[in-house]
Amino acid sequence: MEFSSKLIEKAVNEMSQLPGIGKRTALRLVLHLLKQPKEQTGFLSQALLNMREDIKFCKSCHNISDTEVCEICANSARNHQLICVVEDIRDVMAIENTGQYKGIYHVLGGKISPIEGVGPSQLNISSLVEKVKSGIVKEIIFALSSTMEGDTTNFYIYKQIAESDIVISTIARGISVGDELEYADEVTLGRSILHRIPFEKTFKNN
């Protein structure tokens, strides 16, 4: 792709680094921004800078937050004895959109994947184990995607907390094997949480 301007070329190259954005789409977006008032582009760039500079991770659940403790963890109306374990912020958003879940979350920040070089120590697992040991937690719900990596992560955490006197459950398989939570429709996802099953049944029956 030939450019008549090095400035445009650089902007397109940077924009095309975003997931799902190819060079042609990036060029379309850059040209669109070029047609907008300068202050509009300034608002966008400032919003991105503010997000990158000021974003925090909740010190309790590791969710992305504007404050030290996210709004969900800070909400006294939520059931703090019930923790839903998810991979990332997109899963929190998907579950919250169902309106069916009233507990809190624990964001792992990924899944165990030896192929990608991701081990347990690189995820927020130890802090979850500490929460369980505190005695406050009554139930853990595994809500990772039903992939090999998700199942491996679930089983690893289960082995870490199996001796604790808590209920360990997993979302019902209304979510197809291999599906990511963020792509599930709200009704299916909501029902899979409400009709969760004991985690032990998922591997003892295999």
Side-chain angles (χ1 to χ4, degrees), residues 184-195:
D185 67 90
E186 294 173 8
V187 174
T188 300
L189 183 53
R191 285 175 178 169
S192 72
I193 293 170
L194 290 177
H195 300 296

Side-chain angles (χ1 to χ4, degrees), residues 63 72 78 84-102 105 107 143-145 171 175 179-194:
N63 190 12
I72 295 174
R78 307 286 296 223
C84 185
V85 179
V86 297
E87 181 181 351
D88 61 30
I89 176 62
R90 293 169 297 181
D91 300 328
V92 173
M93 294 171 67
I95 294 172
E96 283 298 286
N97 285 338
T98 69
Q100 299 293 322
Y101 180 68
K102 303 304 179 185
Y105 297 90
V107 181
L144 303 185
S145 56
I171 56 175
I175 309 300
D179 281 358
E180 300 290 345
L181 290 193
E182 62 177 304
Y183 301 121
D185 67 90
E186 294 173 8
V187 174
T188 300
L189 183 53
R191 285 175 178 169
S192 72
I193 293 170
L194 290 177

Side-chain angles (χ1 to χ4, degrees), residues 27-181:
L27 177 60
R28 219 166 30 244
L29 293 171
V30 167
L31 293 178
H32 172 76
L33 289 173
L34 198 58
K35 292 178 183 178
Q36 303 306 304
K38 284 185 178 180
E39 60 267 22
Q40 189 65 43
T41 306
F43 293 150
L44 173 60
S45 60
Q46 191 59 54
L48 292 173
L49 283 172
N50 289 345
M51 176 194 69
R52 199 66 188 89
E53 294 283 336
D54 300 330
I55 204 74
K56 296 178 176 62
F57 290 92
C58 175
K59 64 181 183 181
S60 178
C61 73
H62 309 286
N63 190 12
I64 290 175
S65 175
D66 294 340
T67 54
E68 292 293 326
V69 178
C70 72
E71 292 183 357
I72 295 174
C73 287
N75 187 349
S76 60
R78 307 286 296 223
N79 181 359
H80 286 248
Q81 296 180 327
L82 178 62
I83 296 180
C84 185
V85 179
V86 297
E87 181 181 351
D88 61 30
I89 176 62
R90 293 169 297 181
D91 300 328
V92 173
M93 294 171 67
I95 294 172
E96 283 298 286
N97 285 338
T98 69
Q100 299 293 322
Y101 180 68
K102 303 304 179 185
I104 58 175
Y105 297 90
H106 187 90
V107 181
L108 295 176
K111 294 174 288 193
I112 296 173
S113 178
I115 294 177
E116 296 179 6
V118 180
S121 63
Q122 294 165 275
L123 304 178
N124 300 317
I125 293 177
S126 58
S127 55
L128 175 62
V129 174
E130 289 302 314
K131 286 179 186 176
V132 172
K133 288 180 178 178
S134 72
I136 298 173
V137 181
K138 299 300 181 186
E139 182 180 357
I140 292 287
I141 305 172
F142 291 133
L144 303 185
S145 56
S146 51
T147 59
M148 182 179 294
E149 293 81 6
D151 290 343
T152 298
T153 307
N154 285 341
F155 189 70
Y156 178 86
I157 297 172
Y158 169 78
K159 296 298 287 184
Q160 301 298 307
I161 62 177
E163 294 183 3
S164 302
D165 187 24
I166 64 170
V167 175
I168 303 174
S169 59
T170 184
I171 56 175
R173 295 302 190 186
I175 309 300
S176 300
V177 173
D179 281 358
E180 300 290 345
L181 290 193

